[in-house]
């Protein structure tokens, strides 16, 4: 029998009430076991706030204003409508996703309004939270995967690996429900991006070398955009660090990869690298210049011609049917070298001692690069993890924050939202915590752009200030970190200023509260 959305809302209420991870896991697993097979996917998507499928990084045009209008719209019906099931709610969003054309905004609002009309206030509240991707009930992906493992009789480690490799929790739920996931012989799905391996920061090249302990490669840390390139029989798709499809912005990369793979008879591959902007002599240009390419859709060719790029490859994850991620980096690199044109390889050395590593690092900085990455030669490629196998060192230390609110400016800035609340992420409670406020670092053009964007992301309006969906990631520099009762986080950045936008970064991948507290303690230690 179809499960009612009412039952889903009841589960959300229970999840919200308990802070025990174990209890949450049990509640979700038990709920899953009562569901019909075809309900697993919609349920998991609703629970993790992923019901709105994303196409090329754009959500389904259901923003704050669409939802607000749908709530306000009066829908009258002659007879009371039956309560919708989880499947019916899901179906409404499938229908909304196919709405297009001139009248589409109105039709989306109407479809949403008639769904809201069939829900109680509480049910509506949970649905809206899910649509915003902000459930705030602690049903983070890790717990849902645990519960999926429990309900399907698989191990958590296997399922987590499957999730990171296949990237789609809805797909995992669906295939598990029908017992169709071949856990032991997992293969990536070409054109479904894989969660990338990340690096841990170190303060100096000496510290990084020390931390790595053992044989390492030292590579240039290029300041550009991470690319994961999927190839199948001449077709190429390129994904960013946030796993969005950025193929159309990088036609030169397509040409280079095609040329490389043709001579090396590759039929399928997934490789990774970094794309940077360069000048006429192929010297690196700042990240902001590269970003201009990604903002342009109109006149793209003209913009692209003025911003030449260069691709540097550093890893290979899959080749001709074989998953390579569990191989040591040493071997993966050799395969990469034999598969692509040598000019495309990232600059690197295999360092025998700290002096060689240091020399390489200093040369990289001199050439205008951001820093270096030390990589352990015997390390596997660990999906989605910021581990100690890769250690990065940069010349300038900054942190990444997300904007969660903004205040209207005064005087010259009165038409702009110009004072921003900056937050870091706490993975433990899946919440963003404010650590500072700034109005520094942006140009007038950027104030204008960000005001428009923030209004689209608005979730609450207090007149002089608004709160927004955490979406805009900004890198900030600061003078100091202080203890402060002002924010719930207990700490505040002093003299924070925005150094750049990081649209390539997912809000949940920013600096964490734990990292910031560690930095605070470190700065304290340096003083005494
Ligand atoms: P940052 O903010 O320092 O650019 P990040 O948080 O985006 O880093 P990290 O995992 O901390 O990501 O650092 C690794 C990133 O550095 C990669 O995602 C990639 O974009 C970039 N990078 C540049 N050169 C290399 C390289 N040779 N090997 C691996 N990653 C590289």
């Amino acid at each position: 029998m179809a499960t009612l959305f009412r039952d889903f809302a009841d589960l959300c209420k229970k999840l919200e009430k308990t802070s025990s991870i174990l209890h949450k896991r049990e509640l979700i697993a038990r709920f899953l076991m009562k569901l019909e097979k075809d309900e697993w996917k919609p349920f998991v998507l609703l629970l993790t706030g992923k019901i709105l499928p994303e196409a090329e990084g754009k959500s389904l045009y259901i923003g704050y204003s669409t939802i607000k209008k749908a709530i306000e719209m009066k829908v009258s019906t002659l007879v009371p409508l039956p309560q919708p099931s989880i499947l019916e709610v899901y179906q409404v969003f499938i229908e909304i996703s196919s709405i297009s054309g001139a009248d589409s905004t109105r039709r989306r609002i109407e479809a949403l309004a008639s769904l809201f009309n069939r829900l109680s206030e509480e049910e509506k509240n949970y649905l809206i939270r899910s649509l915003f991707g902000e459930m705030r009930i602690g049903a983070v992906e890790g717990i849902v995967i645990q519960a999926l493992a429990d309900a399907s009789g698989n191990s958590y480690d296997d399922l987590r690996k499957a999730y990171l490799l296949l990237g789609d929790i809805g797909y995992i739920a669906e295939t598990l429900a029908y017992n169709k996931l071949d856990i032991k012989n997992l293969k990536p799905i070409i054109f479904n991006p894989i969660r990338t391996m990340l690096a841990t920061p170190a303060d100096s090249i000496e510290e990084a070398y020390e931390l790595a302990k053992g044989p390492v490669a030292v590579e240039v840390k290029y300041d550009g955009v991470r690319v994961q390139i999927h190839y199948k029989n001449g077709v190429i798709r390129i994904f960013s660090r946030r796993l969005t499809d950025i193929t159309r912005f990088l036609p030169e990369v397509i040409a280079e990869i095609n040329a490389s793979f043709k001579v090396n008879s590759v039929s399928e591959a997934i490789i990774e690298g970094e794309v940077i902007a360069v000048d006429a002599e192929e010297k690196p240009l700042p990240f902001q210049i590269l970003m201009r390419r990604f903002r342009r859709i109109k006149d793209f060719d003209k913009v692209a011609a003025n911003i030449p790029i260069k691709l540097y490859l550093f890893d290979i994850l899959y080749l001709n049917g074989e998953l390579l991620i569990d191989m040591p980096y040493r071997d993966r690199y050799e395969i990469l070298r034999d598969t692509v044109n040598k000019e495309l390889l990232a600059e690197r050395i295999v360092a025998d001692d700290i002096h060689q590593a240091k020399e390489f690092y200093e040369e990289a900085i001199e050439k205008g690069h951001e820093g270096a990455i030390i990589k352990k030669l015997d390390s596997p490629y660990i999906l989605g993890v910021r581990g100690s196998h890769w250690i990065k060192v940069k010349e300038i230390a900054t942190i990444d924050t997300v904007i969660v609110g903004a205040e209207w400016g005064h005087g010259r800035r009165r038409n702009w939202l110009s004072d921003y609340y900056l937050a870091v992420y706490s993975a433990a409670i899946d919440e963003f915590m404010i650590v500072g406020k700034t109005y520094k670092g942006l140009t007038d053009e950027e104030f204008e752009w960000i005001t428009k964007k923030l209004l689209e992301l608005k979730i609450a309006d207090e007149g002089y200030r608004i709160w927004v969906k955490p979406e805009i990631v900004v890198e900030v520099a600061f003078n100091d970190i202080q203890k402060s009762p002002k924010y719930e986080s207990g700490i505040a950045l002093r003299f924070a200023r925005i150094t750049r936008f990081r649209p390539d970064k997912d809000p949940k991948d920013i600096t964490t509260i734990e990292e910031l507290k560690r930095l605070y303690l470190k700065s304290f230690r340096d003083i005494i």
Side-chain angles (χ1 to χ4, degrees):
M1 210 181 62
T3 312
L4 291 180
F5 189 79
R6 167 78 255 151
D7 298 336
F8 170 76
D10 285 342
L11 172 73
C12 292
K13 208 158 73 180
K14 285 189 202 142
L15 290 169
E16 201 168 7
K17 277 205 189 121
T18 176
S19 56
S20 154
I21 289 178
L22 206 64
H23 192 206
K24 284 181 200 286
R25 172 178 162 185
E26 263 171 35
L27 286 168
I28 300 170
R30 246 186 277 143
F31 196 86
L32 271 165
M33 286 191 272
K34 277 196 284 181
L35 292 180
E36 299 291 332
K37 288 182 175 16
D38 56 349
E39 292 175 325
W40 277 44
K41 178 180 174 183
F43 164 65
V44 164
L45 292 177
L46 278 165
L47 189 65
T48 51
K50 291 190 164 47
I51 201 80
L52 298 181
E54 294 213 313
E56 299 219 319
K58 272 191 263 146
S59 69
L60 269 181
Y61 303 106
I62 302 183
Y64 175 77
S65 75
T66 306
I67 292 175
K68 194 157 171 271
K69 280 182 196 140
I71 294 171
E72 285 162 1
M73 185 179 263
K74 291 273 164 288
V75 183
S76 51
T77 46
L78 294 175
V79 281
L81 291 166
Q83 289 190 10
S85 65
I86 290 179
L87 269 177
E88 280 171 300
V89 170
Y90 179 61
Q91 204 49 46
V92 170
F93 290 100
I94 298 289
E95 276 155 27
I96 289 179
S97 73
S98 64
I99 295 177
S100 62
D103 214 11
S104 53
T105 310
R106 187 187 55 77
R107 280 158 54 213
R108 275 189 206 107
I109 295 171
E110 276 175 10
L112 210 51
S114 58
L115 176 62
F116 285 165
N117 191 41
R118 298 169 64 191
L119 301 173
S120 70
E121 276 311 306
E122 189 177 66
E123 291 159 14
K124 202 157 65 183
N125 176 21
Y126 284 119
L127 180 59
I128 290 169
R129 288 206 228 168
S130 176
L131 293 180
F132 278 125
E134 296 289 311
M135 285 304 273
R136 294 173 160 257
I137 52 174
V140 288
E141 277 157 22
I143 298 180
V144 177
I145 290 169
Q146 286 273 13
L148 278 168
D150 298 343
S152 66
N154 283 288
S155 87
Y156 170 69
D157 286 348
D158 282 349
L159 269 204
R160 186 178 141 73
K161 191 168 175 189
Y163 173 55
L164 295 171
L165 194 66
L166 304 172
D168 181 343
I169 203 163
Y171 172 82
I172 304 267
E174 189 175 33
T175 41
L176 280 178
Y178 291 99
N179 291 323
K180 277 199 191 138
L181 199 62
D182 184 4
I183 299 267
K184 297 291 169 220
N185 292 305
L186 281 176
K187 290 269 152 67
I189 303 172
I190 299 273
F191 307 136
N192 254 25
I194 298 176
R195 302 283 153 138
T196 53
M197 178 159 170
L198 297 168
T200 298
D203 279 348
S204 64
I205 190 76
E206 287 86 354
E207 186 188 75
Y209 193 80
E210 188 65 27
L211 276 171
K213 289 190 205 82
V216 293
V218 190
E219 294 178 1
V220 169
K221 183 172 192 310
Y222 298 99
D223 191 12
V225 165
R226 170 90 166 249
V227 285
Q228 188 178 92
I229 304 167
H230 289 228
Y231 176 92
K232 189 171 183 168
N233 302 328
V235 182
I236 293 178
R237 306 239 55 95
I238 306 168
F239 299 95
S240 73
R241 191 182 184 296
R242 295 189 70 179
L243 314 183
T244 41
D245 190 327
I246 50 171
T247 316
R248 67 197 155 109
F249 299 109
L250 302 168
E252 302 91 327
V253 170
I254 299 180
E256 273 163 349
I257 296 298
N258 263 326
S260 265
F261 284 176
K262 231 173 247 151
V263 279
N264 293 309
S265 57
V266 172
S267 58
E268 282 185 351
I270 301 177
I271 53 175
E272 280 196 347
E274 186 94 348
V275 166
I276 59 169
V278 290
D279 65 13
E281 277 112 50
E282 296 213 333
K283 291 221 185 75
L285 291 174
F287 178 80
Q288 286 89 326
I289 295 186
L290 177 66
M291 273 303 109
R292 283 189 212 145
R293 244 189 197 238
F294 293 88
R295 290 215 188 112
R296 262 316 165 96
I297 294 171
K298 253 207 309 190
D299 295 333
F300 174 78
D301 293 343
K302 236 199 260 160
V303 177
N306 287 326
I307 310 171
I309 52 169
K310 183 142 175 49
L311 168 68
Y312 289 101
L313 296 170
F314 50 74
D315 219 318
I316 182 157
L317 317 188
Y318 181 73
L319 181 67
N320 297 340
E322 200 185 342
L323 186 61
L324 309 174
I325 58 174
D326 293 326
M327 258 183 195
Y329 184 46
R330 181 188 286 110
D331 301 346
R332 296 203 308 279
Y333 188 82
E334 265 181 29
I335 297 176
L336 177 70
R337 209 183 38 203
D338 294 341
T339 312
V340 301
N341 188 337
K342 308 281 167 293
E343 279 149 37
L344 301 179
L345 292 169
E347 297 153 85
R348 54 123 66 177
I349 56 161
V350 170
D352 293 325
D353 59 45
I354 175 63
H355 304 294
Q356 287 176 355
K358 196 160 181 219
E359 200 177 314
F360 182 85
Y361 172 74
E362 280 161 4
E363 260 171 39
I365 299 293
E366 206 144 289
K367 283 188 202 155
H369 296 297
E370 194 184 25
I373 297 206
I374 288 197
K375 294 181 180 174
K376 289 192 203 175
L377 287 175
D378 51 13
S379 63
Y381 186 100
I382 306 183
L383 305 170
V385 166
R386 192 180 288 287
S388 57
H389 294 309
W390 289 8
I391 305 160
K392 62 176 176 180
V393 189
K394 292 202 246 180
E395 268 298 269
I396 304 164
T398 51
I399 64 162
D400 296 313
T401 65
V402 68
I403 297 177
V404 291
E407 290 179 11
W408 290 100
H410 302 284
R412 203 177 72 81
R413 295 178 174 173
R414 71 185 170 283
N415 292 326
W416 296 325
L417 285 160
S418 60
D419 206 356
Y420 312 108
Y421 288 87
L422 308 169
V424 292
Y425 180 59
S426 165
I429 52 170
D430 189 29
E431 296 240 359
F432 292 93
M433 308 187 90
I434 298 175
V435 292
K437 211 164 135 223
T438 190
Y439 54 86
K440 296 205 182 85
L442 301 188
T443 62
D444 285 4
E445 209 183 9
E446 286 168 328
F447 276 130
E448 195 144 349
W449 171 81
I450 202 170
T451 301
K452 236 170 83 199
K453 186 86 194 144
L454 287 169
L455 288 172
E456 280 168 23
L457 297 170
K458 180 166 75 169
I459 49 178
D461 198 331
E462 296 175 357
Y464 76 104
R465 104 180 134 190
I466 63 166
W467 297 107
V468 297
K469 186 172 179 222
E471 179 66 45
I472 303 177
V473 176
V474 286
E475 182 187 271
V476 295
F478 51 89
N479 289 16
D480 217 345
I481 310 167
Q482 296 178 315
K483 265 209 162 121
S484 161
K486 204 149 95 197
Y487 306 119
E488 215 182 296
S489 64
I491 48 177
L493 302 173
R494 236 166 85 84
F495 300 123
R497 53 211 177 267
I498 295 174
T499 43
R500 61 163 107 155
F501 290 103
R502 289 294 308 258
D504 59 322
K505 224 168 199 189
D506 189 280
K508 292 198 174 167
D509 271 346
I510 61 173
T511 305
T512 62
I513 188 76
E514 292 78 20
E515 281 165 353
L516 197 60
K517 285 190 174 158
R518 261 202 304 279
L519 276 180
Y520 167 73
L521 289 176
K522 220 175 192 178
S523 63
F524 201 62
R525 194 190 58 199
D526 289 346
I527 298 168
I528 50 177

